[in-house]
Amino acid sequence: MESCRIIRRNDDLPHQTLDGRVVVVDAKAGKVHLLNGTGSRIWTLLEQGTSASSLLASLRDEYSLETEAQDQEVRLFLEELLALGLVVSTED
Amino acid sequence: MEALGYSSLGDPSKQNGRLLLAIGGTVGRLSIEGGRSFLVGLRRRYLPFTIPSASWVRSDFVLSLHLRPSNPGSGGVLSQLDRQAPQVSFSVNGLEIRRHDFDIRFANTKSGWEGEGSCQGSHLAFEVLLRTLWSALLSRADGALLHACALRIGSGAALLPGVSGAGKSTLSGKWEPQEDVLSDELVPVRRGADGVWRVYSSPFWGGLRSGGRSLAGWPLQKVAFLAQADTEEAIPLPPAEAAARLMTTALNCESSSGAERTLRFAAAVATEVPAVELRSRKDTPTARLRKLLGLEPSREHPAWSARENISEVRAALHRAGAYALQVNGVSMLPAVQPGDTVFLEPFANEKATFGDIVVYWQPAEEPVQDKLICHRLLSRRSSGRVFTKGDHAASWESLVDGHQAELLARVSGIARGGVMLPAGGWLANCREVAFSAGRMIWTRTKGAAYGIMPHYSS
């Protein structure tokens, strides 16, 4: 994922937060997504557009991410959200 | 089934039928043109959810429907077209629902939704139309139509959502007693004016079978998602998990615009009603499942409106062929006194005789005002027009069975103070009617002489 791309969540998708977890509905695809605690936090951080590197920086502080492997997990999660259409990306 | 006023679908000289249906608390007035035998079939199929179609009964929508010829059947096998999902589109002031076999358009007016359209004269087309219509309207009334089975347990209900193959039909097929299965396929769920979530029986059953108990609602006490397992346990689910699972079971034909509304509904139910994953084996007995659900059986029922109560009485009469009620009015004095118990059997045209005491459902504008009237039958015509009179009443009543009222039962016996009263016959009935007419004439004459009219309570 290129660090200069701005990522934000897809505001066309209805969502609700319940006991710290986010439920996102993609009616066109006929899918319901339930994000875990970390995924829900990422969803919240993506309310306003942000770059992948800024997002990683925020998560490193909050969750004390130290290793490259943990960074890679976050990047892969973002790629998955993009592939599912839950987030959208634009050029900075 | 002729016992329950089936003949009254409007003027028999015209091919028009009226049907007033209450499903999930939403009342729809349908005026259906064409195909009398089809209309009789509809009335039979949706009977537990019908209300006498009096014009003063408030409805949430009015629909004029023209029946068009249906395609020849394909031997019971659903065609590709039959599996097609309906198209639903809402605008600010309108609603359109269409499929290859029906096409209706509604306008949102000051007095509610008013619509017209056409539908093929087949039970499949009509059923899909009703499912789609009620799903669309319930979603705008703080409710939803869910793929689920619902079980009455005690004075409340358990909702067991699940898509096809989840085990709903297997569970509901073995549930005891069967009368406590409110539906095994599609269940209306709705928040009432008192804030309580309720589930309702529905006419929408698996395999397009007809069924259903009554139009009454039951407080929702638990949501249980079925899971086949080697264990028997109920695992509590957090609200987010429950809401996500509920979303997958909502019947929502509208794509995006309805999804947000349905998600709010699912989130609210998941937050306010305890949810579990109910793990069981195929052969787990009903008693064990009931225990896992943690809901105690009892024969009490919730606080219902008069309409819901009367609908349940009708359902009980159907099931058991008998019912008993305690009377609290004075209109049948001296034959029936306040506190007497009247024993009922379903009303049957062929058994009714002049002077029989009958019980009929008199609907009002609002459900809390509906009445169950116990009066004497004077005459019943083939047009469905019925004349009744309370022995102590100042005048007789004229009504059309199935329209202004619905004949439910004939009184087969009366008990007072725990003692059965001697049963009268045709002669006794004639005597009572004669005395009643005499009292009416005497009272009116006396009243006129003194310049007053007596007041009779119903």
Side-chain angles (χ1 to χ4, degrees):
Chain A
M1 170 164 299
E2 299 153 32
S3 300
C4 56
R5 296 183 74 84
I6 300 297
I7 313 166
R8 61 172 177 79
R9 68 189 190 202
N10 184 346
D11 289 325
D12 290 339
L13 301 182
H15 60 272
Q16 287 269 340
T17 302
L18 296 162
D19 49 89
R21 297 182 68 182
V22 174
V23 180
V24 185
V25 178
D26 185 350
K28 281 188 185 152
K31 296 241 190 294
V32 180
H33 304 278
L34 177 59
L35 307 181
N36 63 13
T38 310
S40 299
R41 179 60 184 146
I42 292 173
W43 178 265
T44 305
L45 290 171
L46 290 176
E47 183 177 0
Q48 308 296 329
T50 185
S51 66
S53 49
S54 301
L55 179 68
L56 266 171
S58 302
L59 291 172
R60 278 190 202 111
D61 286 340
E62 278 189 50
Y63 293 95
S64 306
L65 300 181
E66 291 174 350
T67 69
E68 179 56 32
Q70 287 167 329
D71 284 0
Q72 186 61 8
E73 275 184 35
V74 174
R75 287 193 198 95
L76 284 173
F77 179 66
L78 288 176
E79 295 283 356
E80 193 177 347
L81 291 181
L82 267 170
L84 288 170
L86 269 62
V87 302
V88 294
S89 77
T90 52
E91 290 285 345
D92 187 5
Chain B
M1 301 304 271
E2 281 297 318
L4 294 172
Y6 272 62
S7 60
S8 292
L9 285 166
D11 185 341
S13 68
K14 295 180 184 162
Q15 291 292 317
N16 272 8
R18 291 175 295 238
L19 207 55
L20 191 59
L21 291 177
I23 301 169
T26 292
V27 180
R29 184 180 298 277
L30 291 90
S31 174
I32 303 167
E33 186 188 317
R36 187 170 180 80
S37 61
F38 181 70
L39 299 173
V40 171
L42 284 185
R43 182 83 190 232
R44 188 168 286 130
R45 184 181 176 91
Y46 298 103
L47 174 67
F49 305 94
T50 60
I51 305 169
S53 57
S55 57
W56 54 79
V57 177
R58 190 188 59 76
S59 61
D60 297 295
F61 72 85
V62 176
L63 175 61
S64 293
L65 207 54
H66 170 75
L67 291 180
R68 41 192 222 237
S70 58
N71 292 333
S74 47
V77 177
L78 289 180
S79 70
Q80 210 43 32
L81 276 177
D82 291 333
R83 295 177 196 280
Q84 200 181 57
Q87 300 286 318
V88 179
S89 54
F90 266 100
S91 61
V92 172
N93 289 317
L95 163 66
E96 290 187 11
I97 300 178
R98 56 168 57 96
R99 207 173 79 142
H100 69 94
D101 45 3
F102 54 77
D103 183 351
I104 63 173
R105 295 158 302 284
F106 280 95
N108 195 359
T109 69
K110 283 181 196 166
S111 38
W113 293 98
E114 290 182 8
E116 60 177 7
S118 66
C119 177
Q120 276 187 19
S122 77
H123 283 295
L124 171 64
F126 194 79
E127 174 88 354
V128 175
L129 170 58
L130 288 196
R131 291 182 180 205
T132 311
L133 181 53
W134 252 274
S135 168
L137 294 177
L138 271 172
S139 73
R140 278 158 177 75
D142 214 359
L145 199 56
L146 299 179
H147 284 284
C149 80
L151 307 169
R152 174 255 173 118
I153 303 183
S155 59
L159 179 74
L160 293 91
V163 295
S164 182
K168 303 189 299 292
S169 302
T170 306
L171 174 72
S172 52
K174 69 180 183 181
W175 193 262
E176 290 170 358
Q178 272 291 292
E179 71 201 48
D180 285 352
V181 179
L182 302 179
S183 175
D184 72 350
E185 171 78 1
L186 283 175
V187 177
V189 180
R190 181 187 189 143
R191 192 199 294 276
D194 57 1
V196 174
W197 289 103
R198 284 182 175 78
V199 298
Y200 294 79
S201 182
S202 91
F204 311 131
W205 289 63
L208 292 171
R209 298 187 331 272
S210 69
R213 179 181 167 123
S214 77
L215 55 82
W218 301 80
L220 176 56
Q221 295 182 331
K222 189 152 283 181
V223 178
F225 296 91
L226 296 170
Q228 285 199 24
D230 293 330
T231 58
E232 293 174 351
E233 52 186 336
I235 312 290
L237 287 178
E241 177 83 38
R245 294 197 193 196
L246 273 174
M247 279 302 296
T248 65
T249 65
L251 183 72
N252 186 351
C253 304
E254 296 173 57
S255 73
S256 308
S257 61
E260 181 148 13
R261 207 176 302 110
T262 307
L263 180 56
R264 273 202 303 272
F265 157 86
V269 171
T271 306
E272 297 170 34
V273 181
V276 298
E277 179 172 281
L278 185 63
R279 296 178 185 173
S280 65
R281 302 182 180 87
K282 253 190 174 174
D283 57 359
T284 301
T286 303
R288 175 71 181 137
L289 290 169
R290 195 179 274 120
K291 200 162 181 173
L292 286 172
L293 285 169
L295 301 174
E296 292 302 317
S298 85
R299 286 291 110 192
E300 287 186 19
H301 63 72
W304 280 324
S305 65
R307 182 170 297 167
E308 289 172 301
N309 266 310
I310 295 170
S311 173
E312 275 283 308
V313 168
R314 180 172 65 180
L317 269 169
H318 259 273
R319 272 196 310 273
Y323 200 74
L325 282 176
Q326 198 167 48
V327 171
N328 62 7
V330 296
S331 61
M332 277 298 295
L333 287 173
V336 184
Q337 299 179 9
D340 283 356
T341 299
V342 292
F343 295 90
L344 310 180
E345 60 185 33
F347 183 82
N349 282 339
E350 62 274 13
K351 280 191 187 173
T353 55
F354 172 79
D356 274 347
I357 302 176
V358 296
V359 169
Y360 55 92
W361 178 358
Q362 195 174 67
E365 184 179 352
E366 297 296 338
V368 294
Q369 298 161 334
D370 284 15
K371 287 183 185 168
L372 208 50
I373 306 286
C374 178
H375 277 182
R376 206 173 287 276
L377 179 69
L378 300 182
S379 143
R380 190 179 191 284
R381 299 184 182 162
S382 58
S383 64
R385 184 157 294 279
V386 174
F387 291 89
T388 68
K389 187 180 175 302
D391 287 355
H392 196 60
S395 58
W396 56 74
E397 285 190 330
S398 166
L399 49 95
V400 176
D401 186 18
H403 185 45
Q404 287 113 349
E406 181 177 324
L407 285 167
L408 293 183
R410 178 184 160 278
V411 174
S412 57
I414 304 171
R416 185 172 301 152
V419 178
M420 287 298 294
L421 301 180
W426 185 80
L427 273 179
N429 286 348
C430 289
R431 186 193 64 217
E432 291 302 327
V433 172
F435 279 161
S436 169
R439 277 193 290 272
M440 182 180 78
I441 295 167
W442 170 254
T443 306
R444 285 188 167 179
T445 308
K446 200 166 99 174
Y450 286 100
I452 55 169
M453 287 302 294
H455 170 72
Y456 294 88
S457 54
S458 59

